[in-house]
């Protein structure tokens, strides 16, 4: 009985082992079957995904190496003087480029991707509205520029910009840097979405055009430069002569007077818009002139970063002036610096010129006495350029600072009373920006000939602001028209010595 029990226990153990082994083998068979079936159903999908990922990486790699197309303003090429700036793609434009690349070279299995939604397509196809740039932010000037189909009709003083992306609009522009001038005719600048009702072109040009006026204060030497010549340089120089001038209020004598400058700015004949019945078409048109401030350029706002130094160098080139730098007394201590004494013949003139000359010559200056001839700009520019120091009472004659060589000295004699701010603005800041040394001498009441007209206790001397507040013309009639200067040579001598020190650096 004991033996039978032992045999039964052993058989039970053997059966349990067999059962466990069978269960384990069965589980392995089930798992193997599952993996085989899964591999058969997913292998194609895995290969397809791997191929798409690899393709996308290659496409993206190609796009990242591509350079963006360089945009040129108005479709015109850059000149040798222009600075070229490169910019990177934005994230949006990069993604757009990737989508365009994939669409042109995508594998067949990507064709099953769902199309863009209707709202996405309409947003992509929506045209961008580009308005012509008409800037009214400057309190002194108005300026517009347009690129594309631009048509100018002279006799009607109208400029039309035709573009399907434009909304109809119209502005009245004074093409002069002082928009309050009543003697300058306004030009109509309008936009049209289609050429219907717009005059057809009778003359087509491939170069840019600038519409501006000769009027206002032109004829005054200072205003010739600050109102026209410098703004025209600022607007036109970037084209290196490949630009045409369309002029209203044209004054032929004025153009002849500044012929060397004008010929350097344009290679084309001027168009008298007021006498033209043609419809002129240009690909890029500016109405008005760029303007920053009186006789001043702000390089950060200027095309190609132009500065006052660029402007004066341009003038020296236009008039073939030989002297680029003033004398260095450190290198040539035995030489006499040339001092130009601007001897005005009208208002604000020196009444004791011989005494001034004697004092300057005693300080070892070679004194040049001269004043500009009305029409001979080139001749006087040559005289100015030969000098190292220029001195004169506040007035248009000091505009000749633009012809001085670099590092020369300008000494402005400021009349009384409290005209320092105006004087510094007019010639001080421009001269320093042009690479010159600037000195300012404010005369005393005793040096003013106004003492011959008013007592020392008169408000003219004791309360100048009461007269300034009466307006520019009343103030100017008194302090600028009636006043001459009898220079105190002893008081002024230190300024000429200081000028020598500046030339000796």
């Amino acid at each position: 009985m004991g033996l039978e029990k032992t045999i039964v226990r052993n058989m039970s153990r053997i059966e349990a082992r067999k059962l466990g082994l069978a269960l384990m083998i069965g589980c392995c068979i089930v798992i193997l079957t599952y993996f085989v079936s899964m591999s058969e159903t997913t292998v194609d999908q895995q290969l397809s995904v791997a191929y798409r990922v690899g393709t996308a990486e290659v496409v993206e790699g190609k796009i990242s190496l591509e350079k963006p197309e360089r945009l040129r303003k108005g479709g015109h090429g850059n000149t040798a003087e222009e600075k070229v700036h490169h910019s990177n793609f934005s994230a949006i434009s990069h993604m757009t480029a990737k989508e365009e690349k994939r669409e042109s070279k995508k594998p067949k299995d990507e064709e099953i991707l769902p199309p863009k939604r209707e709202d996405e397509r309409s947003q992509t196809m929506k045209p961008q509205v580009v308005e012509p740039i008409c800037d009214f932010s400057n309190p002194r000037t108005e300026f517009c520029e347009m690129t594309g189909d631009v048509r100018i009709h002279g006799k009607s003083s109208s400029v039309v910009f035709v573009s399907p992306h434009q909304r109809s609009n119209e502005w009245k522009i004074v093409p002069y840097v002082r928009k309050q001038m009543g003697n300058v005719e306004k030009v109509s600048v309008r936009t049209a979405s289609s050429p219907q009702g717009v005059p057809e072109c009778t003359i087509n040009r491939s170069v840019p055009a600038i519409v501006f006026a000769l009027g206002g204060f032109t004829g005054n030497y200072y205003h010739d430069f600050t109102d026209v010549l410098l703004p025209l340089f600022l607007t036109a120089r970037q084209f290196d002569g490949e630009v045409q001038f369309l002029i209203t209020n044209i004054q032929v004598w004025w153009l002849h007077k500044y012929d060397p400058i004008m010929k350097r700015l344009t290679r084309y004949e001027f168009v008298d818009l007021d006498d033209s019945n043609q419809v002129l078409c240009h690909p890029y048109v500016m109405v008005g002139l760029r303007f920053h401030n009186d006789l001043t350029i702000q390089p950060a706002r200027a095309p190609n970063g132009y500065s006052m130094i660029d402007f004066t160098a341009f003038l020296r080139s236009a008039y073939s002036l030989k002297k680029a730098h003033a004398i260095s007394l450190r290198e040539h201590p035995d030489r006499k610096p040339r001092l130009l004494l601007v001897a005005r013949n009208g208002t604000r003139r020196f009444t004791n010129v011989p005494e001034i000359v004697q004092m300057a010559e005693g300080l070892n200056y070679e004194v040049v006495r001269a004043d500009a001839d009305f029409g001979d700009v080139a001749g006087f520019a040559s005289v100015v350029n030969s000098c190292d120091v220029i001195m004169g009472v506040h007035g248009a004659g000091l505009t000749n600072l633009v012809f001085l060589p670099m590092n020369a000295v300008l000494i402005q004699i400021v009349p009384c009373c409290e005209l320092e701010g105006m004087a510094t603005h007019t010639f001080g800041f421009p001269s320093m920006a042009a690479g010159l040394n600037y000195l300012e001498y404010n005369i005393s009441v005793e040096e003013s000939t106004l003492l011959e007209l008013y007592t020392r206790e008169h408000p003219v001397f004791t309360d100048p602001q009461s007269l300034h507040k009466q307006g520019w013309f009343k103030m100017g009639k008194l302090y600028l028209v009636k006043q001459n200067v009898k220079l105190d040579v002893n008081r002024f001598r230190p300024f000429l010595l200081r000028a020598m020190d500046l030339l000796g650096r």
Side-chain angles (χ1 to χ4, degrees):
M1 192 71 179
L3 180 60
E4 293 178 353
K5 289 181 180 180
T6 301
I7 293 172
V8 169
R9 284 198 301 271
N10 290 336
M11 289 298 293
S12 303
R13 291 172 182 172
I14 292 172
E15 291 299 327
R17 289 174 182 174
K18 289 182 177 180
L19 181 60
L21 180 61
L23 288 174
M24 184 176 66
I25 293 172
C27 288
C28 290
I29 293 172
V30 170
I31 293 171
L32 181 61
T33 303
Y34 173 78
F35 274 108
V36 170
S37 62
M38 287 295 293
S39 64
E40 290 177 350
T41 57
T42 61
V43 66
D44 289 338
Q45 295 177 3
Q46 291 173 1
L47 288 174
S48 176
V49 169
Y51 177 74
R52 285 204 304 271
V53 170
T55 303
E57 289 174 349
V58 171
V59 170
E60 184 172 356
K62 287 182 179 179
I63 293 175
S64 65
L65 294 176
E66 291 181 352
K67 294 181 180 179
E69 182 182 358
R70 186 181 301 167
L71 299 178
R72 294 183 174 91
K73 189 175 184 181
H76 299 286
N78 292 324
T79 66
E81 293 176 309
E82 288 183 307
K83 299 176 182 176
V84 180
H85 300 278
H86 296 283
S87 59
N88 297 324
F89 277 125
S90 65
I92 295 176
S93 58
H94 182 72
M95 291 303 296
T96 303
K98 287 204 296 183
E99 291 300 326
E100 292 174 353
K101 192 78 174 179
R102 287 178 180 172
E103 192 166 331
S104 61
K105 293 187 178 182
K106 60 185 176 183
K108 291 183 179 180
D109 60 325
E110 284 196 2
E111 293 177 359
I112 61 174
L113 293 175
K116 289 186 177 182
R117 298 194 307 271
E118 186 65 28
D119 58 342
E120 291 178 343
R121 285 203 302 269
S122 62
Q123 186 174 0
T124 302
M125 297 172 61
K126 184 177 180 180
Q128 184 179 3
V129 177
V130 181
E131 295 285 356
I133 301 174
C134 282
D135 184 6
F136 300 96
S137 62
N138 193 311
R140 276 272 300 272
T141 64
E142 300 167 333
F143 180 76
C144 293
E145 55 184 332
M146 294 147 278
T147 302
D149 183 359
V150 189
R151 311 181 187 192
I152 307 103
H153 184 236
K155 284 200 170 181
S156 64
S157 298
S158 65
V159 177
V160 184
F161 181 27
V162 181
S163 171
H165 305 310
Q166 293 294 328
R167 297 189 298 267
S168 296
N169 214 332
E170 184 174 5
W171 302 268
K172 294 291 185 179
I173 305 298
V174 176
Y176 184 78
V177 301
R178 299 175 188 269
K179 61 186 179 182
Q180 295 84 6
M181 298 303 299
N183 64 344
V184 177
E185 185 177 355
K186 293 184 178 182
V187 173
S188 168
V189 176
R190 68 182 180 94
T191 56
S193 58
S194 74
Q196 184 177 0
V198 177
E200 294 185 1
C201 302
T202 58
I203 298 178
N204 286 282
R205 300 289 190 190
S206 60
V207 297
I210 301 175
V211 178
F212 67 95
L214 290 178
F217 292 133
T218 53
N220 174 282
Y221 194 60
Y222 170 76
H223 290 286
D224 286 348
F225 279 87
T226 195
D227 290 6
V228 181
L229 294 173
L230 187 147
L232 194 56
F233 166 86
L234 193 56
T235 310
R237 182 57 180 160
Q238 60 184 314
F239 302 110
D240 195 27
E242 289 299 312
V243 61
Q244 190 165 30
F245 297 160
L246 315 181
I247 308 174
T248 68
N249 300 87
I250 196 166
Q251 301 176 55
V252 178
W253 64 266
W254 191 95
L255 296 172
H256 286 314
K257 181 177 181 178
Y258 298 106
D259 185 65
I261 299 174
M262 305 303 284
K263 283 184 175 178
R264 283 298 182 98
L265 291 175
T266 179
R267 298 186 180 94
Y268 298 86
E269 292 184 0
F270 311 124
V271 175
D272 182 355
L273 274 185
D274 300 332
D275 194 42
S276 173
N277 202 29
Q278 303 288 342
V279 178
L280 309 175
C281 293
H282 291 261
Y284 177 49
V285 175
M286 288 168 281
V287 180
L289 300 175
R290 298 184 188 277
F291 176 85
H292 296 161
N293 212 325
D294 292 315
L295 208 59
T296 300
I297 295 175
Q298 297 173 8
R301 298 171 55 196
N304 299 334
Y306 289 135
S307 66
M308 278 296 292
I309 291 176
D310 294 314
F311 178 59
T312 55
F314 166 79
L315 294 178
R316 288 196 297 270
S317 174
Y319 286 101
S320 301
L321 304 179
K322 298 178 180 179
K323 194 170 179 178
H325 296 276
I327 188 175
S328 171
L329 294 180
R330 182 176 54 185
E331 297 178 4
H332 305 281
D334 56 330
R335 291 175 57 181
K336 292 183 178 183
R338 285 171 60 88
L339 168 65
L340 174 61
L341 178 62
V342 179
R344 295 171 59 93
N345 296 320
T347 60
R348 280 161 285 144
R349 69 182 185 275
F350 292 116
T351 62
N352 59 334
V353 171
E355 189 179 359
I356 298 171
V357 172
Q358 183 180 4
M359 180 266 295
E361 290 177 342
L363 295 176
N364 206 35
Y365 278 98
E366 179 187 348
V367 181
V368 179
R369 294 175 57 183
D371 203 355
D373 186 354
F374 181 79
D376 186 19
V377 177
F380 194 67
S382 180
V383 172
V384 174
N385 181 251
S386 70
C387 295
D388 307 292
V389 181
I390 182 174
M391 63 171 285
V393 181
H394 171 82
L398 295 184
T399 308
N400 288 291
L401 69 89
V402 297
F403 300 121
L404 284 171
M406 290 283 290
N407 202 44
V409 183
L410 169 67
I411 307 176
Q412 180 174 199
I413 314 299
V414 183
C416 87
C417 300
E418 300 186 10
L419 302 180
E420 297 88 349
M422 177 192 68
T424 305
H425 170 86
T426 306
F427 297 114
F429 295 140
S431 63
M432 290 184 282
L436 306 178
N437 296 291
Y438 176 68
L439 298 176
E440 189 173 283
Y441 178 83
N442 299 290
I443 72 169
S444 64
V445 171
E446 286 68 29
E447 293 172 278
S448 171
T449 59
L450 290 177
L451 270 178
E452 299 171 4
L453 303 175
Y454 304 95
T455 64
R456 188 65 177 81
E457 293 74 27
H458 195 280
V460 166
F461 304 114
T462 61
D463 188 15
Q465 284 303 315
S466 65
L467 296 161
H468 283 260
K469 291 177 182 178
Q470 295 181 22
W472 169 261
F473 290 103
K474 288 188 177 181
M475 182 278 293
K477 185 177 180 180
L478 174 62
Y479 291 120
L480 300 180
V481 176
K482 292 184 177 182
Q483 184 169 198
N484 295 316
V485 174
K486 184 178 181 180
L487 200 64
D488 184 337
V489 293
N490 292 322
R491 184 170 180 262
F492 181 72
R493 181 180 286 107
F495 284 80
L496 288 183
L497 292 173
R498 174 59 178 158
M500 283 224 179
D501 290 341
L502 292 171
L503 294 174
R505 288 180 176 178

